[in-house]
Amino acid sequence: MSRPVRAPDLSRLKREGQRVVAVTAYDYASGVMVDRAGVDVVLVGDSLATVILGHTTTLPATMDVMVHHTRAVARGVQRALVVGDLPFLSCITVEDAVRNGGRLMQEAGAGAVKLEGASALTLAAVRALVAQGIPVLGHIGFTPQSVHVFGGHKVQGKDEEAARRMLEEARALQQAGVSAVVLELVPEALAAHISLNLEIPTIGIGAGPGCDGQIQVFHDLVGLFTDHVPRHAARYARVGDVIGEAVGRYAADVRAGRFLAREEVLS
Ligand code: KIV
């Protein structure tokens, strides 16, 4: 195993012309699997509120839930950088941000935290977190915690003024000390432009191939759900179908009295 990934390695990867590979995970098993597959960053995203807990938005994710899941993932990850997401309303003040970021590092074993937006408060929170020894990833473009402000899952930065603002936000986050910035639902050309204008890497989701890295939600990537897949998701397998088929065969075997009688079940 190569040495563990630390937050400063993300900029090094960009300098060396290597793309950052990031994926979400929410428990020990998925942490082990994605780490063994060799990703650089494992994000314990507040998307767990939707894909793990079945809510329609990320808003119900609480700090206690994020600590619980981040701790489980961290137990399974040996090499990748584990990033804990700071959930909705966890950074209302700079003090909250530091206390909650500190929990993700100290109680849960994260190697960095991520927070959404680039308001004056967020930038102050980033500076305070970094000053306390907590590496931070930013997240701009469509920020899911503000879904109600945006009025839905909408691409951001479509007009000239919004595009200019987003570049400013990315630069301000870099200046405040983030180690990388997630760009979500951003037009391809704008994401590429922002990437070219930053020293830190951009990590895109629904932002095109011009980003310095990519992130996907684990459940989308492996195809755990087959009924609803976001447009920007890339499905590399249909694991949900494999599980459904396996459990279906098990059910049929139990009902027919064949369970534990077949060689392939025992092997
Ligand atoms: O919560 C999450 O999974 C995220 C990624 C989609 C970037 O923030």
Side-chain angles (χ1 to χ4, degrees):
M1 187 193 73
S2 50
R3 69 173 181 80
V5 180
R6 308 280 185 223
D9 291 321
L10 303 182
S11 285
R12 180 183 55 75
L13 288 173
K14 177 164 178 162
R15 282 195 303 277
E16 292 174 355
Q18 296 185 58
R19 289 208 157 79
V20 178
V21 181
V23 67
T24 68
Y26 310 99
D27 59 12
Y28 174 77
S30 55
V32 168
M33 286 186 274
V34 301
D35 190 49
R36 285 191 185 153
V39 303
D40 303 308
V41 174
V42 179
L43 170 68
V44 188
D46 60 358
S47 51
L48 67 80
T50 59
V51 293
I52 299 292
L53 303 177
H55 295 288
T56 53
T57 73
T58 61
L59 274 55
T62 62
M63 264 317 295
D64 285 346
V65 166
M66 294 310 302
V67 168
H68 182 70
H69 284 265
T70 304
R71 194 187 285 136
V73 171
R75 282 189 206 111
V77 172
Q78 298 192 4
R79 178 188 168 270
L81 176 67
V82 175
V83 179
D85 224 354
L86 282 160
F88 186 57
L89 300 184
S90 64
C91 299
I92 302 176
T93 65
V94 169
E95 290 73 21
D96 278 345
V98 173
R99 186 172 47 251
N100 289 323
R103 285 191 67 192
L104 289 170
M105 303 282 288
Q106 196 170 43
E107 293 176 40
V113 303
K114 176 172 82 58
L115 82 176
E116 295 185 3
S119 65
L121 171 64
T122 303
L123 295 171
V126 170
R127 283 190 289 271
L129 283 158
V130 173
Q132 292 301 322
I134 301 172
V136 184
L137 273 63
H139 184 162
I140 54 175
F142 173 73
T143 43
Q145 290 168 21
S146 301
V147 62
H148 294 298
V149 174
F150 291 131
H153 289 73
K154 296 182 179 162
V155 174
Q156 302 298 306
K158 285 213 273 199
D159 61 59
E160 221 175 280
E161 172 53 22
R164 192 196 54 74
R165 256 200 329 267
M166 204 183 297
L167 176 59
E168 290 295 296
E169 288 177 353
R171 282 192 172 129
L173 283 166
Q174 173 173 270
Q175 176 76 27
V178 300
S179 303
V181 60
V182 171
L183 300 180
E184 180 163 355
L185 298 188
V186 174
E188 203 173 308
L190 174 59
H193 180 64
I194 292 174
S195 306
L196 281 174
N197 279 278
L198 295 181
E199 278 155 39
I200 54 165
T202 59
I203 303 179
I205 176 162
C211 294
D212 302 304
Q214 298 290 333
I215 183 159
Q216 287 283 295
V217 168
F218 178 79
H219 290 51
D220 298 336
L221 186 70
V222 303
L224 266 170
F225 301 133
T226 40
D227 46 351
H228 171 72
V229 182
R231 214 155 44 90
H232 58 266
R235 194 159 51 190
Y236 278 76
R238 288 181 166 266
V239 171
D241 290 345
V242 174
I243 292 173
E245 198 265 336
V247 177
R249 279 197 295 117
Y250 161 69
D253 279 355
V254 171
R255 290 190 181 115
R258 284 192 304 261
F259 181 64
L260 285 187
R262 285 180 7 195
E263 244 174 51
E264 77 261 27
V265 174
L266 296 171
S267 61

